[in-house]
Amino acid sequence: MTAQPAYNFAYLDEQTKRMIRRAILKAIAIPGYQVPFASREMPMPYGWGTGGIQVTAAVLGPDDVLKVIDQGADDTTNAVSIRAFFVKTANVATTTRTTQATIIQTRHRIPETPLTASQILVYQVPIPEPLRFLEPRETETRRMHALADYGLMHVKLYEDISRHGHVATTYAYPVKVDGRYVTDPSPTPKFDNPKMSDCAALQLFGAGREKRIYAIPPHTKVVSLDFEDHPFERTRFDAPCGLCGATGIYLDEVVMDDAGTRLHVCSDTDHCMTRREAGFTGSEGAVAP
Amino acid sequence: MTPIHQPLLSARTLTHLYGHRVGCIDVDLDLYEGEVLAVVGESGSGKSTQLSLLSAQMEPTSGAVAYRMTDGVTRDLVALSQAERRFLMRTDWGFVHQDARDGLHMGVSAGGNVGERLMAVGWRHYGDIRAKASDWLGRVEIDESRIDDFPTQFSGGMRQRLQIAKTLVTQPRLVFMDEPTGGLDVSVQARLLDLLRGLVTDLGLAAVVVTHDLAVARLLSSRMMVMRGGRVIEHGLTDQLLDDPREPYTQLLVSSILQA
Ligand SMILES: [Zn+2]
C-alpha cells in the first residue's frame, strides 16, 4: 500500500468504507432491497459510475485482481479510466480475463463466461428504482416495496405488449429477487437477466447519484417479470459472431469500414479473444490480430 | 343473526379536529350491503372529512370506523395494518375522485388503467386482463376500440367513466365517491348519473357519495345525511327527507334546488 501515499487505499477513507460495507451487508441480508447510503463525491462525474466505484473501493483488497467493462469491452474510455483510478489509488492488479478477475465492475454486461464463488460482480447503476417511471414520489415507491404492491410493474409490461405486441423493454428489464423485492438490473440488457439467477458470484449494485446499494447474494433466485401468455424471452441473435463464430452470446453490431459494412461480433471482448486464441474463427476470422 | 344483517361499514362518534378547527363531530352511521348513502352539505360542512375518515385515508381524533371484511369478521379500521388497508383499497373498496386525474394514470392507456387493479391482485394473463378491461370499457359506454388510447385523449365525461371502470373491475363491495359528477357539463352529468345508477344497482354496490348536489343524492342514494358545521343535522330516507325536510337548513337547501 505504498504506491501512492497521497491517497488512502482505494481512495475512500476507512470510515467511509466501513459505512459502505455496512450498507452492503444489509443489502446482502435483504436481497434486492435498496439500501440508502451516504454516497461520496468521487473525482469523476456521476455518469461515470461513481456508485459502482464506491462499492468496488469498499470491497477491494490489495490481493484482488480487477476487471472493468463498459458494454462488454475492457478498452472503452470509461472502463480504462476506472481501471486506471484503482491502479493509481490501490495499486491492484488488473486483467481483461474474466476467469482471472476476483472483482469485475460493469456498466452493462455480465460476462459470457460463468462466474464463480470467488468472484464479485459490481454494477454501476444510474436509476435503481424500477417503479420510478410510473410513480415519481419516493415516499410512495418505498411504501409499494414495503407492501410488495407491485401491480404497476405489470402495468408497464402490459403497456409494452399492447403497443408493440410484445414486451419491448430490452434493457433494465425488471426482476423479482428471491420472491420478494422487484429490482432494476439497470442498465443490463435483458439477455443477461437469466445469468443473474442462481449465480455463484456475489452481485452488488451501486447507484451514486441516487445513493442506493442493493445486492443479489450467490445462488439467489432471480425471476424476470412476465405474463403467462407472454413469457420472458431472452434476446436471440440469428448470426454467430463474425470473428470467433460463437453462438448463444450477446452480439454488437459494428461498422467495419467507410462503406458501412456491418458485422456482428461478441459484445464480450474477452470472450471473443479467448475463443480466437483457442483457434475458433468466424466468417471474418482472418482479421484476428 | 347472519352476517348480512350486520352493517358493512359503521361509524360511532366519529370526530376529527384540525387543531382547534372542527372537521366533523360525533358522526354515527351504519351502511348495509347494497345501500347507497349520500352525504350532503356545502363546502366546509365536514362531508369531505367524513369521507376521508370512513375510507381510512385519515385517522379520527376520536370515535371509530368498523368494516366487515370479506371473511365476515368486522374489524376496526385503525387496527388494520397498512398492508391490509391497501389490500382493501385495491380489492373490496373503490374510490371515485371528483377529478379523474386523481384516480387515473394519465400516461397509461385506458386498458392499462382498468387492468391495474387486476394485476395488483395477481392477474398474470395478458389476454384475460385485456378481455376484462375491454368488457369494462363497454360497460361504461366507452368504445372498445379506444382501449389503447390514453386518458389525455378522452373528454371529461369519458375520463370519469374510465375511472369508474377502473374502480369497479375488481367488483368491490363498497365504493366511496367524492362529487362524482362535479366539474362536468350538465348533459354529461345526467348521462354519468344514469350510468352510475345502473351499475350500482346491477352490482349491488354499497356506496358513500359525498356531494353538494341534491339531484345527485336523489338519483343515486336511498338514504341521505345532511351535514353542517361538522355535524349531521338530519338523516333519513332520501325520498322522505327531500319531500319533507325537518330542519330549516335542509328546507333551505331543498327549496333552493327546486327553484333552480
Ligand atoms: Zn466473438
Side-chain angles (χ1 to χ4, degrees):
Chain A
M1 278 189 281
T2 52
Q4 284 289 338
Y7 292 111
N8 194 42
F9 179 77
Y11 187 77
L12 296 175
D13 61 82
E14 293 306 309
Q15 200 181 337
T16 300
K17 280 193 240 172
R18 271 200 297 277
M19 176 272 291
I20 295 173
R21 286 175 195 144
R22 275 198 295 271
I24 291 172
L25 287 173
K26 183 170 178 183
I28 293 169
I30 316 170
Y33 173 75
Q34 299 167 50
V35 180
F37 80 110
S39 180
R40 291 297 146 96
E41 288 290 329
M42 296 301 281
M44 55 196 76
Y46 279 124
W48 284 66
T50 55
I53 291 166
Q54 290 177 80
V55 168
T56 296
V59 298
L60 193 68
D63 298 331
D64 274 310
V65 180
L66 180 68
K67 172 180 164 79
V68 183
I69 47 175
D70 177 5
Q71 301 293 353
D74 300 79
D75 58 358
T76 66
T77 313
N78 184 280
V80 169
S81 306
I82 293 170
R83 207 159 49 229
F85 174 78
F86 283 113
V87 168
K88 189 174 175 190
T89 60
N91 195 30
V92 290
T94 63
T95 183
T96 59
R97 290 288 145 114
T98 299
T99 50
Q100 286 167 14
T102 56
I103 298 176
I104 302 170
Q105 181 170 330
T106 178
R107 195 181 190 182
H108 310 91
R109 294 290 326 283
I110 300 174
E112 304 293 357
T113 308
L115 302 180
T116 67
S118 55
Q119 294 178 310
I120 299 176
L121 183 60
V122 178
Y123 298 76
Q124 309 167 203
V125 177
I127 302 165
E129 179 49 73
L131 300 162
R132 178 71 72 242
F133 82 104
L134 273 173
E135 180 49 70
R137 289 169 298 175
E138 174 76 18
T139 48
E140 183 60 17
T141 54
R142 274 195 213 181
R143 190 173 303 135
M144 291 161 86
H145 282 297
L147 302 175
D149 185 8
Y150 290 131
L152 269 186
M153 283 320 309
H154 274 87
V155 171
K156 180 182 182 340
L157 300 181
Y158 171 95
E159 291 291 286
D160 256 14
I161 298 170
S162 62
R163 217 166 301 160
H164 309 286
H166 61 275
V167 177
T169 306
T170 54
Y171 283 84
Y173 191 107
V175 294
K176 192 173 239 186
V177 177
D178 199 24
R180 176 60 180 86
Y181 284 98
V182 167
T183 302
D184 193 336
S186 85
T188 305
K190 75 170 184 179
F191 177 88
D192 287 336
N193 275 19
K195 294 181 195 164
M196 293 182 174
S197 191
D198 197 30
C199 178
L202 170 62
Q203 301 173 76
L204 300 175
F205 300 76
R209 190 177 44 225
E210 304 243 355
K211 304 180 170 55
R212 292 289 185 278
I213 286 172
Y214 49 105
I216 301 174
H219 301 294
T220 301
K221 193 174 174 199
V222 177
V223 176
S224 301
L225 301 184
D226 62 3
F227 288 105
E228 291 157 17
D229 49 342
H230 286 267
F232 173 82
E233 272 182 28
R234 197 177 196 181
T235 313
R236 271 200 301 267
F237 298 91
D238 297 330
C241 169
L243 297 179
C244 76
T247 56
I249 41 86
Y250 194 83
L251 296 174
D252 283 336
E253 195 179 62
V254 292
V255 179
M256 296 301 286
D257 52 34
D258 292 345
T261 310
R262 283 161 199 282
L263 182 67
H264 286 92
V265 298
C266 291
S267 140
D268 182 339
T269 51
D270 169 60
H271 184 73
C272 202
M273 191 63 74
T274 305
R275 280 179 56 85
R276 284 149 70 196
E277 283 170 4
F280 293 100
T281 53
S283 56
E284 308 291 316
V287 301
Chain B
M1 192 160 43
T2 59
I4 201 76
H5 295 118
Q6 291 173 359
L8 190 58
L9 182 78
S10 58
R12 289 294 176 269
T13 63
L14 201 57
T15 298
H16 192 81
L17 305 173
Y18 301 96
H20 293 295
R21 206 162 55 78
V22 169
C24 67
I25 292 183
D26 274 347
V27 174
D28 289 329
L29 72 82
D30 288 313
L31 183 74
Y32 291 84
E33 228 151 303
E35 187 179 39
V36 179
L37 171 73
V39 181
V40 174
E42 295 171 299
S43 87
S45 63
K47 63 186 194 300
S48 299
T49 301
Q50 201 202 125
L51 191 72
S52 299
L53 297 174
L54 293 176
S55 58
Q57 298 184 65
M58 251 169 33
E59 286 192 12
T61 308
S62 63
V65 182
Y67 182 70
R68 180 158 49 79
M69 312 288 277
T70 42
D71 62 6
V73 179
T74 297
R75 306 265 309 268
D76 188 333
L77 288 187
V78 176
L80 294 182
S81 70
Q82 208 178 26
E84 287 173 313
R85 220 172 294 169
R86 179 155 288 216
F87 189 72
L88 260 190
M89 279 310 278
R90 287 270 191 265
T91 57
D92 210 25
W93 288 3
F95 204 109
V96 177
H97 301 266
Q98 172 173 1
D99 188 340
R101 282 173 298 192
D102 294 335
L104 296 171
H105 293 287
M106 299 304 281
V108 169
S109 70
N113 265 294
V114 178
E116 185 191 355
R117 274 167 75 106
L118 299 174
M119 293 181 248
V121 298
W123 285 44
R124 292 293 177 264
H125 190 283
Y126 175 83
D128 290 351
I129 293 162
R130 200 166 168 83
K132 188 86 170 169
S134 183
D135 175 44
W136 267 95
L137 289 181
R139 292 180 80 164
V140 298
E141 300 165 10
I142 294 174
D143 195 294
E144 289 165 25
S145 68
R146 306 290 306 264
I147 191 167
D148 294 328
D149 289 351
F150 291 90
T152 45
Q153 298 164 277
F154 288 2
S155 68
M158 275 176 78
R159 273 185 209 174
Q160 198 57 304
R161 281 181 274 134
L162 180 62
Q163 190 193 185
I164 289 163
K166 180 192 175 108
T167 304
L168 298 185
V169 68
T170 52
Q171 309 256 359
R173 287 189 299 166
L174 173 60
V175 178
F176 299 97
M177 302 187 204
D178 184 11
E179 304 277 9
T181 60
L184 298 174
D185 293 342
V186 176
S187 60
V188 177
Q189 282 190 23
R191 185 178 170 197
L192 188 68
L193 276 175
D194 210 37
L195 178 79
L196 266 179
R197 199 167 127 105
L199 287 171
V200 163
T201 312
D202 289 351
L203 300 169
L205 287 177
V208 178
V209 184
V210 161
T211 182
H212 70 283
D213 186 344
L214 289 181
V216 171
R218 187 191 284 282
L219 265 166
L220 286 183
S221 72
S222 50
R223 269 195 306 137
M224 67 179 271
M225 191 176 251
V226 180
M227 293 194 73
R228 190 186 190 195
R231 292 181 187 275
V232 177
I233 59 164
E234 197 160 1
H235 185 187
L237 295 174
T238 303
D239 290 341
Q240 280 180 20
L241 206 147
L242 289 176
D243 289 344
D244 183 21
R246 301 286 158 104
E247 291 292 319
Y249 177 74
T250 314
Q251 289 166 3
L252 199 70
L253 280 182
V254 172
S255 64
S256 67
I257 190 153
L258 291 179
Q259 284 159 12

